[in-house]
Amino acid sequence: QMTQSPSSLSASVGDRVTITCRASQSITTYLNWYQQQPGKAPKLLIYAASNLQSGVPSRFSGSGSGTDFTLTISSLQPEDFAAYYCQQSYTVPFTFGPGTKVDVK
Amino acid sequence: EVNLVETGGGLIQPGGSLRLSCAASGLTVSTNYMNWVRQAPGKGLEWVSVIYVGGNTYYADSVKGRFTISRDTSKNMVYLQMNSLRAEDTAVYFCARMLVPPGISHVTGNDYWGQGSLVTVSS
């Protein structure tokens, strides 16, 4: 089981945003983060907890291990208003978190 | 360039069957970990099934015994056979490739996704 908090947040351009994801048991560092815009396929941002996927801006970063993980957006940009999901790839089933919606304050 | 294209979605009555196809280009399905992820209208992402490089297959509890993932290496395609469909299977179904980064030797996130195929189960 994966949980995320908060389920939604309101922020302004330039804000630092932090989203947390918690696993019900240790998944070492096999935690991935996605961004999804409405009507689009998800986009991989971070893989294996802290590795930035190719082409993803450096304002996105991930940290954590074991059961507790964090996605940080250092300075929110207009294109970052979206839904964010974590997913564990440690073992099947490769469960997703319930998501965090980031909208405009 | 990698491209994944899902086809086969549509409107189906409860209890019916449907087969989704995922045509891959720019990658070889037999040497990649391929999976299906779905998203019900207005809801979050739900992992459905994976086929490993070695051929092992795994399923979410919600679809186990009803859905079957397979691949055709000659056509470079992945399939999801869905039987005994229920209203709660209504969703957009995405085909995706799981990244295995050099030096990690373990599946990580889905780096390539199709555009999705809508399956609606309703009478």
Side-chain angles (χ1 to χ4, degrees), chain B residues 96-118:
Chain B
R97 191 278 292 260
M98 298 193 81
L99 173 67
V100 180
I104 292 185
S105 301
H106 189 93
V107 290
T108 60
N110 293 300
D111 59 344
Y112 293 110
W113 295 72
Q115 84 288 351
S117 182
L118 177 62

Side-chain angles (χ1 to χ4, degrees), chain A residues 30 32 34 36 40-42 44 47-48 53 85 87 89-90 92-94 96, chain B residues 37 39 44-45 47 52 58 94 98-99 101 106-111 113-114:
Chain A
Y30 294 116
N32 313 294
Y34 301 87
Q36 189 181 31
K40 297 289 184 67
L44 180 64
Y47 65 89
Q53 172 64 353
Y85 297 92
Q87 182 203 23
S89 56
Y90 179 68
V92 290
F94 296 136
F96 286 89
Chain B
V37 175
Q39 187 168 37
L45 300 171
W47 178 81
Y52 279 17
Y58 300 93
F94 295 100
M98 298 193 81
L99 173 67
H106 189 93
V107 290
T108 60
N110 293 300
D111 59 344
W113 295 72

